[in-house]
Amino acid sequence: FDKDDPRAQLLAFINGEHAGDAGIVYCLSRRKVDETAAWLATKGVNALPYHAGMDSATRAEHQARFQREEGVVIVATIAFGMGIDKPDVRFVAHLDLPKSIEGYYQETGRAGRDGAAADAWMAYGLADVVQQRRLIDQSDAGDDYKRVSAAKLDALLGLCETAGCRRVRLLDYFGESSTPCGNCDTCLTPPATFDATEVAQKALSAIYRTGQRFGAVHLIDVLRGKTGERVSRWDHDRLTVFGIGADVDEATWRIVLRQLVAMGFAQVDHEAYGALKLCAAARPVLKGEQRISMRRVVARPRASSRSRSAAAQGDLSSSENALLARLKAWRLAEARTQAVPAFVILNDRTLAEIARRKPADSAALSQVSGIGTAKLARYGDAVLELVAS
């Protein structure tokens, strides 16, 4: 998603598709982790922070709560997740652009390990690209490492901006082929593309005419003919490109500039405070020798809060959902008594199947997937009593 009030976007995603579900939200900085977790908590989300700057006792407590309790959302830096084996994580969200496809793949892989439906969600913008470029260029690593890191970032941008199946693009990066998955956002709601040659030429011309010294905000002001102290100080209101993009709204210009970077026609110079500079590939576009198309960003339809849970639970009826809620409450109490994660008792899919089948005796309960001899002996009577009630 285009980054526009990302915390509000994240909250809408959680409330709309994963209310009450366990999830992980990744942020780049410790400060952002703390602020995001606190803000989500004020909005009714059971959110906890996790990062290396916290004292070890609190960090361990938050990790234990995430593993043992239901519906906990951990807001964390990438320090969180290694060695975590929680099968019922229903979503992984990124509020900042990851550093590479490898990192993104590893982090999103922490959701849906029980085989039920799970989501990967990310909001990013051009500022994220500036930030990542700065981290690469300011690192103490050698030039070879920086070149590799920049290439990895470019590959991730390509994945973010693709109009095709994300799974195909992802596996292609790792040298594997795949057919369209039919399940990612671009498969479910294929993005429309448009001939962006003209708007690209205008944007690239604005970069060139302003001396390749300014970032997206200033360039958009020039393109839209917006007067102001900064524009007047540099006499950019006298340029031929001033106002040539007044018919295009600000949000669209942000998307166009971001895609120009992702497509390699422009690059971000963090040493010049995020200024956009032309790449060699921009020349044929400016000269009219090459046409380009871009994806038209459209808001993805939101599912209801029940739809995701229903998908994971096999679309249970209202009475079956009520039974499932009682089974989960029993499981949580049992997990606390034993001081183990809830999924160790019985996993979500097993509870959903019990709620659907409503077994009346031990023989019927033993036919439910996930109910072996030991669990039947230990929990059978309690489960059957709940079903009967």
Side-chain angles (χ1 to χ4, degrees):
F1 287 93
D2 188 41
K3 212 165 189 176
D4 182 16
D5 195 358
R7 290 198 309 194
Q9 289 175 290
L10 174 65
L11 181 64
F13 165 70
I14 293 174
N15 287 340
E17 300 189 23
H18 290 288
D21 287 341
I24 304 172
V25 178
Y26 284 110
C27 301
L28 194 61
S29 70
R30 297 173 183 180
R31 177 180 177 181
K32 190 168 183 178
V33 164
D34 290 332
E35 291 175 348
T36 301
W39 184 83
L40 286 174
T42 66
K43 301 300 181 181
V45 178
N46 188 12
L48 298 172
Y50 184 101
H51 57 74
M54 300 169 59
D55 66 86
S56 57
T58 303
R59 194 167 62 244
E61 178 193 352
H62 288 185
Q63 179 172 317
R65 285 187 58 188
F66 176 71
Q67 289 184 292
R68 293 178 180 176
E69 298 180 15
E70 295 188 52
V72 174
V73 174
I74 281 284
V75 184
T77 58
I78 59 172
F80 180 80
M82 299 301 291
I84 299 298
D85 187 20
K86 182 176 172 65
D88 59 344
V89 176
R90 297 271 67 84
F91 69 89
V92 170
H94 286 86
L95 276 182
D96 292 305
L97 191 69
K99 295 180 180 179
S100 66
I101 289 182
E102 288 91 343
Y104 176 74
Y105 184 71
Q106 183 182 66
E107 289 151 20
T108 56
R110 291 164 187 156
R113 292 183 176 180
D114 57 359
D119 278 328
W121 182 96
M122 179 169 64
Y124 82 102
L126 195 57
D128 291 284
V129 182
V130 175
Q131 185 179 36
Q132 291 290 6
R133 294 282 189 193
R134 184 177 63 250
L135 291 174
I136 292 170
D137 293 341
Q138 290 181 343
S139 71
D140 296 328
D143 290 341
D144 288 344
Y145 175 84
K146 290 180 179 181
R147 279 194 294 271
V148 171
S149 296
K152 288 178 179 292
L153 178 59
D154 289 342
L156 180 63
L157 286 173
L159 174 65
C160 293
E161 295 293 351
T162 183
C165 172
R166 297 195 192 277
R167 180 186 177 189
V168 170
R169 187 70 176 255
L170 182 68
L171 293 181
D172 180 68
Y173 176 81
F174 292 108
E176 300 180 26
S177 60
S178 172
T179 56
C181 67
N183 193 51
C184 66
D185 59 322
T186 53
C187 282
L188 294 172
T189 311
T193 59
F194 69 103
D195 187 337
T197 305
E198 184 178 341
V199 291
Q201 288 172 331
K202 290 178 179 180
L204 295 171
S205 295
I207 294 173
Y208 177 75
R209 295 294 180 186
T210 55
Q212 304 185 71
R213 299 170 56 193
F214 298 88
V217 173
H218 184 81
L219 291 169
I220 292 171
D221 285 346
V222 172
L223 285 163
R224 300 194 70 230
K226 186 176 179 181
T227 57
E229 187 275 330
R230 188 173 173 83
V231 171
S232 299
R233 188 199 330 160
W234 293 97
D235 289 331
H236 287 169
D237 50 353
R238 299 183 181 182
L239 296 175
T240 56
V241 293
F242 182 75
I244 61 171
D247 58 330
V248 178
D249 62 75
E250 182 179 336
T252 300
W253 275 123
R254 285 203 309 268
I255 294 166
V256 167
L257 289 171
R258 192 182 72 211
Q259 291 193 59
L260 286 173
V261 172
M263 297 166 78
F265 297 114
Q267 62 184 359
V268 176
D269 184 356
H270 86 271
E271 292 183 349
Y273 304 99
L276 291 178
K277 297 182 180 294
L278 299 181
C279 297
R283 184 177 179 84
V285 177
L286 284 168
K287 294 179 68 177
E289 298 171 354
Q290 178 182 346
R291 305 197 69 81
I292 62 173
S293 63
M294 291 183 179
R295 56 178 290 161
R296 193 184 302 277
V297 178
V298 181
R300 178 185 172 190
R302 285 290 176 195
S304 68
S305 59
R306 182 179 179 276
S307 64
R308 284 291 177 183
S309 297
Q313 297 162 10
D315 199 14
L316 302 179
S317 68
S318 58
S319 63
E320 290 166 349
N321 271 311
L323 173 55
L324 178 61
R326 292 197 298 273
L327 288 167
K328 286 187 173 183
W330 162 80
R331 180 181 66 176
L332 180 59
E334 188 68 31
R336 286 173 174 168
T337 299
Q338 297 185 38
V340 297
F343 66 82
V344 170
I345 308 300
L346 294 171
N347 64 44
D348 284 353
R349 299 182 77 176
T350 297
L351 293 187
E353 191 172 347
I354 292 171
R356 189 182 304 105
R357 292 192 181 190
K358 300 183 184 66
D361 53 39
S362 295
L365 181 58
S366 68
Q367 298 303 306
V368 174
S369 176
I371 300 291
T373 304
K375 292 194 174 183
L376 180 65
R378 187 164 191 176
Y379 306 123
D381 290 344
V383 169
L384 291 171
E385 184 178 342
L386 280 169
V387 173
S389 67

Coordinates of all heavy atoms in Angstrom, one line a residue, residues 3-57:
K3 N 2.1 4.6 1.2 CA 2.2 5.0 2.6 C 1.5 6.3 2.9 O 2.0 7.4 2.5 CB 3.7 5.1 3.1 CG 3.9 4.7 4.5 CD 5.4 4.5 4.7 CE 5.7 3.9 6.1 NZ 7.1 3.6 6.3
D4 N 0.3 6.3 3.4 CA -0.5 7.5 3.7 C -1.1 7.3 5.0 O -2.1 6.6 5.2 CB -1.5 7.7 2.6 CG -2.3 9.0 2.8 OD1 -1.9 9.8 3.6 OD2 -3.4 9.1 2.1
D5 N -0.6 7.9 6.1 CA -1.0 7.7 7.5 C -0.9 6.2 7.8 O -1.9 5.5 8.0 CB -2.4 8.2 7.7 CG -2.8 8.3 9.2 OD1 -1.9 7.9 10.0 OD2 -3.9 8.7 9.5
P6 N 0.3 5.6 7.8 CA 0.5 4.2 7.8 C -0.1 3.5 9.1 O -0.6 2.4 9.0 CB 2.0 4.0 7.7 CG 2.6 5.3 8.1 CD 1.6 6.3 7.6
R7 N 0.0 4.2 10.2 CA -0.6 3.6 11.5 C -2.1 3.4 11.3 O -2.6 2.4 11.7 CB -0.3 4.5 12.7 CG 1.2 4.4 13.1 CD 1.4 4.9 14.5 NE 0.8 6.2 14.8 CZ 1.1 6.9 15.9 NH1 2.0 6.5 16.7 NH2 0.5 8.1 16.1
A8 N -2.8 4.4 10.7 CA -4.2 4.3 10.5 C -4.5 3.2 9.5 O -5.5 2.4 9.7 CB -4.8 5.6 10.1
Q9 N -3.7 3.0 8.5 CA -3.8 2.0 7.5 C -3.7 0.6 8.2 O -4.4 -0.3 7.9 CB -2.8 2.1 6.4 CG -3.1 3.3 5.5 CD -2.0 3.4 4.4 OE1 -0.9 3.8 4.8 NE2 -2.2 3.2 3.2
L10 N -2.6 0.5 9.1 CA -2.4 -0.7 9.8 C -3.6 -1.1 10.7 O -4.0 -2.3 10.7 CB -1.1 -0.6 10.6 CG -0.8 -1.8 11.5 CD1 -0.5 -3.1 10.7 CD2 0.4 -1.5 12.4
L11 N -4.1 -0.1 11.4 CA -5.2 -0.4 12.3 C -6.4 -0.8 11.5 O -7.1 -1.8 12.0 CB -5.5 0.9 13.1 CG -6.7 0.8 14.1 CD1 -6.3 -0.2 15.2 CD2 -7.0 2.1 14.7
A12 N -6.7 -0.2 10.4 CA -7.8 -0.6 9.5 C -7.7 -2.1 9.1 O -8.6 -2.8 9.0 CB -8.0 0.3 8.4
F13 N -6.4 -2.4 8.7 CA -6.1 -3.8 8.3 C -6.4 -4.8 9.5 O -7.0 -5.8 9.3 CB -4.7 -3.9 7.8 CG -4.2 -5.3 7.7 CD1 -4.6 -6.1 6.7 CD2 -3.2 -5.8 8.6 CE1 -4.1 -7.4 6.6 CE2 -2.7 -7.0 8.5 CZ -3.2 -7.9 7.5
I14 N -5.9 -4.5 10.6 CA -6.0 -5.4 11.8 C -7.5 -5.5 12.2 O -8.0 -6.6 12.3 CB -5.2 -4.9 13.0 CG1 -3.7 -5.0 12.7 CG2 -5.6 -5.7 14.2 CD1 -2.8 -4.4 13.8
N15 N -8.2 -4.4 12.3 CA -9.6 -4.4 12.7 C -10.5 -5.0 11.6 O -11.5 -5.7 11.9 CB -10.1 -3.0 13.0 CG -9.6 -2.5 14.3 OD1 -9.1 -3.3 15.2 ND2 -9.6 -1.2 14.5
G16 N -10.1 -4.8 10.3 CA -11.0 -5.2 9.2 C -10.8 -6.7 8.9 O -11.7 -7.4 8.4
E17 N -9.5 -7.2 9.1 CA -9.3 -8.6 8.6 C -8.7 -9.5 9.7 O -8.8 -10.7 9.6 CB -8.3 -8.5 7.5 CG -8.8 -7.7 6.3 CD -7.9 -7.9 5.0 OE1 -7.2 -8.9 5.0 OE2 -8.0 -7.0 4.2
H18 N -8.2 -8.9 10.8 CA -7.6 -9.8 11.8 C -7.9 -9.4 13.2 O -7.0 -9.5 14.1 CB -6.1 -9.9 11.6 CG -5.7 -10.6 10.3 ND1 -5.8 -12.0 10.2 CD2 -5.3 -10.2 9.1 CE1 -5.4 -12.3 9.0 NE2 -5.1 -11.3 8.3
A19 N -9.1 -9.0 13.5 CA -9.5 -8.6 14.9 C -9.3 -9.8 15.8 O -9.9 -10.9 15.5 CB -10.9 -8.1 14.9
G20 N -8.6 -9.6 16.9 CA -8.4 -10.7 17.8 C -7.4 -11.8 17.4 O -7.2 -12.8 18.2
D21 N -6.7 -11.6 16.3 CA -5.7 -12.6 15.8 C -4.3 -12.2 16.3 O -4.0 -11.1 16.6 CB -5.7 -12.6 14.3 CG -6.9 -13.3 13.7 OD1 -7.6 -14.1 14.5 OD2 -7.2 -13.1 12.5
A22 N -3.5 -13.2 16.4 CA -2.1 -13.0 16.7 C -1.4 -12.5 15.5 O -1.6 -13.0 14.4 CB -1.4 -14.3 17.2
G23 N -0.4 -11.6 15.6 CA 0.3 -11.1 14.5 C 1.6 -10.4 14.9 O 1.9 -10.2 16.1
I24 N 2.4 -10.1 13.9 CA 3.7 -9.4 14.1 C 3.7 -8.2 13.2 O 3.4 -8.3 12.0 CB 4.9 -10.4 13.7 CG1 4.8 -11.7 14.5 CG2 6.2 -9.6 14.0 CD1 5.9 -12.7 14.1
V25 N 4.1 -7.1 13.8 CA 4.3 -5.8 13.1 C 5.8 -5.5 13.1 O 6.3 -5.3 14.2 CB 3.4 -4.7 13.6 CG1 3.7 -3.4 12.9 CG2 2.0 -5.1 13.6
Y26 N 6.4 -5.3 12.0 CA 7.9 -5.0 12.0 C 8.1 -3.5 11.7 O 7.5 -3.0 10.8 CB 8.6 -5.8 10.9 CG 8.8 -7.3 11.4 CD1 8.2 -8.3 10.8 CD2 9.7 -7.6 12.4 CE1 8.4 -9.6 11.2 CE2 10.0 -8.9 12.8 CZ 9.3 -9.9 12.2 OH 9.5 -11.2 12.6
C27 N 8.9 -2.9 12.5 CA 9.3 -1.5 12.3 C 10.9 -1.5 12.2 O 11.5 -2.3 12.8 CB 8.8 -0.6 13.4 SG 7.0 -0.6 13.6
L28 N 11.4 -0.4 11.6 CA 12.8 -0.3 11.5 C 13.6 0.1 12.7 O 14.7 -0.3 13.0 CB 13.2 0.6 10.3 CG 14.6 0.6 9.7 CD1 14.9 -0.8 9.2 CD2 14.7 1.6 8.6
S29 N 13.0 1.0 13.5 CA 13.6 1.6 14.7 C 13.0 1.2 16.0 O 11.8 0.9 16.0 CB 13.7 3.1 14.6 OG 12.4 3.7 14.7
R30 N 13.7 1.2 17.0 CA 13.2 0.9 18.4 C 12.2 1.9 18.8 O 11.1 1.6 19.4 CB 14.4 0.9 19.4 CG 15.4 -0.2 19.1 CD 16.6 -0.1 20.0 NE 17.6 -1.1 19.7 CZ 18.8 -1.2 20.4 NH1 19.0 -0.3 21.4 NH2 19.6 -2.1 20.1
R31 N 12.4 3.2 18.5 CA 11.5 4.2 18.9 C 10.2 4.0 18.2 O 9.1 4.2 18.8 CB 12.1 5.6 18.5 CG 11.1 6.8 18.8 CD 11.8 8.1 18.4 NE 10.9 9.2 18.6 CZ 11.1 10.5 18.3 NH1 12.3 10.8 17.8 NH2 10.2 11.4 18.5
K32 N 10.2 3.7 16.9 CA 8.9 3.5 16.2 C 8.2 2.3 16.7 O 7.0 2.2 16.8 CB 9.2 3.3 14.7 CG 8.0 3.3 13.8 CD 8.3 3.4 12.4 CE 7.1 3.5 11.5 NZ 7.4 3.7 10.1
V33 N 8.9 1.2 17.2 CA 8.3 0.1 17.8 C 7.5 0.5 19.0 O 6.4 0.1 19.2 CB 9.4 -1.0 18.2 CG1 8.8 -2.0 19.1 CG2 9.9 -1.7 16.9
D34 N 8.2 1.2 19.9 CA 7.5 1.7 21.1 C 6.3 2.5 20.9 O 5.2 2.3 21.5 CB 8.5 2.4 22.0 CG 9.6 1.6 22.6 OD1 9.4 0.4 22.8 OD2 10.7 2.1 22.9
E35 N 6.5 3.5 20.0 CA 5.4 4.4 19.7 C 4.2 3.7 19.0 O 3.0 3.9 19.3 CB 5.9 5.5 18.8 CG 6.8 6.5 19.4 CD 7.4 7.5 18.5 OE1 7.2 7.4 17.3 OE2 8.0 8.5 19.0
T36 N 4.5 2.7 18.1 CA 3.4 2.0 17.4 C 2.7 1.1 18.3 O 1.4 1.0 18.3 CB 4.0 1.2 16.2 OG1 4.7 2.1 15.3 CG2 2.9 0.5 15.5
A37 N 3.4 0.4 19.2 CA 2.8 -0.5 20.1 C 1.9 0.2 21.1 O 0.7 -0.2 21.4 CB 3.8 -1.3 20.9
A38 N 2.4 1.4 21.6 CA 1.6 2.2 22.5 C 0.3 2.7 21.8 O -0.8 2.7 22.4 CB 2.4 3.3 23.1
W39 N 0.5 3.2 20.6 CA -0.7 3.7 19.9 C -1.7 2.6 19.6 O -2.9 2.9 19.8 CB -0.2 4.3 18.6 CG -1.3 5.0 17.8 CD1 -1.8 6.3 18.0 CD2 -2.0 4.5 16.7 NE1 -2.7 6.6 17.1 CE2 -2.9 5.5 16.3 CE3 -2.0 3.3 16.0 CZ2 -3.8 5.3 15.2 CZ3 -2.9 3.1 15.0 CH2 -3.8 4.1 14.6
L40 N -1.3 1.5 19.2 CA -2.2 0.4 18.9 C -3.0 0.0 20.2 O -4.2 -0.3 20.1 CB -1.5 -0.8 18.3 CG -1.0 -0.7 16.9 CD1 -0.2 -1.9 16.5 CD2 -2.2 -0.6 15.9
A41 N -2.3 0.0 21.3 CA -2.9 -0.4 22.6 C -4.0 0.6 22.9 O -5.1 0.2 23.4 CB -1.9 -0.4 23.7
T42 N -3.8 1.9 22.6 CA -4.9 2.9 22.9 C -6.1 2.7 22.0 O -7.2 3.2 22.3 CB -4.4 4.3 22.7 OG1 -4.0 4.6 21.3 CG2 -3.1 4.6 23.6
K43 N -5.9 2.0 20.9 CA -7.0 1.7 19.9 C -7.6 0.3 20.2 O -8.4 -0.1 19.3 CB -6.5 1.8 18.5 CG -5.9 3.1 18.1 CD -6.9 4.3 18.3 CE -6.2 5.6 17.9 NZ -7.2 6.7 18.1
G44 N -7.3 -0.3 21.3 CA -7.9 -1.6 21.6 C -7.2 -2.8 21.1 O -7.8 -3.9 21.3
V45 N -6.0 -2.7 20.5 CA -5.3 -3.8 20.0 C -4.4 -4.3 21.2 O -3.7 -3.5 21.8 CB -4.5 -3.5 18.8 CG1 -3.7 -4.7 18.3 CG2 -5.4 -3.0 17.7
N46 N -4.4 -5.6 21.4 CA -3.5 -6.2 22.4 C -2.1 -6.2 21.9 O -1.6 -7.3 21.6 CB -4.0 -7.6 22.8 CG -3.3 -8.2 24.0 OD1 -2.5 -7.5 24.7 ND2 -3.5 -9.4 24.3
A47 N -1.4 -5.1 21.9 CA -0.1 -5.0 21.3 C 1.0 -4.8 22.3 O 0.8 -4.1 23.3 CB -0.1 -3.8 20.3
L48 N 2.2 -5.4 22.1 CA 3.3 -5.4 23.0 C 4.6 -5.1 22.1 O 4.7 -5.6 21.0 CB 3.5 -6.7 23.7 CG 2.4 -7.2 24.6 CD1 2.7 -8.6 25.1 CD2 2.2 -6.2 25.8
P49 N 5.5 -4.2 22.7 CA 6.7 -3.9 21.9 C 7.8 -5.0 22.2 O 7.7 -5.7 23.2 CB 7.1 -2.6 22.5 CG 6.6 -2.6 23.9 CD 5.3 -3.4 23.9
Y50 N 8.7 -5.1 21.3 CA 9.9 -6.0 21.5 C 11.0 -5.5 20.6 O 10.9 -5.4 19.4 CB 9.5 -7.5 21.0 CG 10.6 -8.5 21.2 CD1 10.5 -9.4 22.3 CD2 11.7 -8.6 20.4 CE1 11.5 -10.3 22.5 CE2 12.6 -9.5 20.6 CZ 12.5 -10.4 21.6 OH 13.5 -11.4 21.8
H51 N 12.1 -5.2 21.3 CA 13.4 -4.9 20.6 C 14.6 -5.0 21.6 O 14.4 -5.2 22.8 CB 13.3 -3.4 20.1 CG 13.0 -2.4 21.1 ND1 14.0 -1.9 22.0 CD2 11.9 -1.6 21.3 CE1 13.4 -1.0 22.8 NE2 12.2 -0.8 22.4
A52 N 15.7 -5.0 21.0 CA 16.9 -5.2 21.8 C 17.2 -4.2 22.9 O 18.0 -4.4 23.8 CB 18.1 -5.4 20.9
G53 N 16.6 -3.0 22.8 CA 16.9 -2.0 23.7 C 16.1 -2.1 25.0 O 16.3 -1.3 26.0
M54 N 15.2 -3.0 25.1 CA 14.4 -3.2 26.3 C 15.2 -4.1 27.3 O 16.1 -4.8 26.9 CB 13.1 -3.9 25.9 CG 12.2 -3.2 24.9 SD 10.8 -4.2 24.3 CE 10.0 -4.7 25.8
D55 N 14.8 -3.9 28.5 CA 15.5 -4.8 29.5 C 15.1 -6.2 29.3 O 14.0 -6.5 28.8 CB 15.1 -4.4 31.0 CG 13.7 -4.6 31.3 OD1 13.3 -5.7 31.7 OD2 12.9 -3.6 31.1
S56 N 16.0 -7.2 29.6 CA 15.8 -8.6 29.2 C 14.5 -9.2 29.8 O 13.9 -10.0 29.2 CB 17.0 -9.4 29.5 OG 17.3 -9.3 30.9
A57 N 14.2 -8.8 31.0 CA 13.1 -9.4 31.7 C 11.8 -9.0 31.0 O 10.9 -9.9 30.8 CB 13.0 -8.9 33.2

